[in-house]
Amino acid sequence: MEHTENTIFTNMCMIYDDVGNVVVQNRTKSWCGYAFPGGHVEPGESFNDAVIREVFEETNLKISNLRLCGIKDSVRDDKTRYIVFLYKTNCFEGELRSSDEGEVRWVSLNELKTLKLSNTFDTMLEVFLRDELTEQYWYRANNDWICVHK
């Protein structure tokens, strides 16, 4: 039995303040719609360092005291496993600034739910907000994608 598989590691971070607002990005590259900032983990880079770097590149915010709150896990049609490490923090400094990845801004959690969210972000949001969940797993059954929260 093979114990290795092709894997892509990425990350996403929910940055929140003390009054119920979160930083969102209206993505224009790779995929479209609102989601939290994040991106790919570079070869040899720690997962924690990768999310700090990606958030800074996309928002100009320096984040710290990250909490890993879960993962999104799926296997693509080409059999590559795609894992998104989901972090959150309320420790940040700097002035929010958009990048070529998309516009960033603060929104309330209530407003977030009314925006045009990126594909599957609405279900991923549950892992960020519900402490009893640690994984969102996607798999194919009869040509349909099925989402399971664990």
Side-chain angles (χ1 to χ4, degrees):
M1 176 181 221
E2 182 68 34
H3 292 283
T4 62
E5 61 186 327
N6 290 329
T7 307
I8 297 171
F9 294 118
T10 63
N11 57 60
M12 187 174 281
C13 187
M14 181 176 88
I15 305 160
Y16 60 97
D17 65 15
D18 296 331
V19 293
N21 297 311
V22 293
V23 172
V24 294
Q25 181 178 51
N26 188 9
R27 297 286 298 207
T28 56
K29 291 177 80 176
S30 305
W31 38 273
C32 296
Y34 283 92
F36 297 140
H40 284 85
V41 178
E42 300 296 333
E45 185 177 35
S46 81
F47 300 127
N48 195 68
D49 289 348
V51 72
I52 290 169
R53 175 186 51 77
E54 284 288 349
V55 166
F56 182 74
E57 289 173 359
E58 295 178 4
T59 69
N60 194 52
L61 297 178
K62 294 179 182 177
I63 58 173
S64 59
N65 295 341
L66 301 172
R67 185 168 80 83
L68 180 63
C69 56
I71 63 169
K72 175 185 177 182
D73 183 11
S74 62
V75 179
R76 293 178 166 185
D77 291 334
D78 68 0
K79 304 298 183 215
T80 300
R81 184 166 234 162
Y82 193 89
I83 297 176
V84 184
F85 291 91
L86 308 177
Y87 293 89
K88 60 183 170 181
T89 186
N90 64 348
C91 297
F92 57 89
E93 57 183 52
E95 183 178 329
L96 191 62
R97 189 176 316 137
S98 298
S99 73
D100 63 350
E101 296 282 341
E103 173 201 6
V104 291
R105 63 185 173 116
W106 288 98
V107 299
S108 70
L109 281 172
N110 288 334
E111 181 184 356
L112 174 62
K113 295 172 184 176
T114 69
L115 299 175
K116 183 186 178 301
L117 303 177
S118 67
N119 189 32
T120 73
F121 183 69
D122 58 336
T123 57
M124 198 181 330
L125 190 57
E126 291 185 51
V127 179
F128 286 104
L129 299 176
R130 294 176 51 196
D131 288 339
E132 71 272 16
L133 298 178
T134 60
E135 181 180 10
Q136 179 187 70
Y137 180 70
W138 287 87
Y139 67 95
R140 268 204 195 269
N142 301 320
N143 289 327
D144 291 325
W145 283 103
I146 309 296
C147 176
V148 177
H149 285 97
K150 299 179 180 210

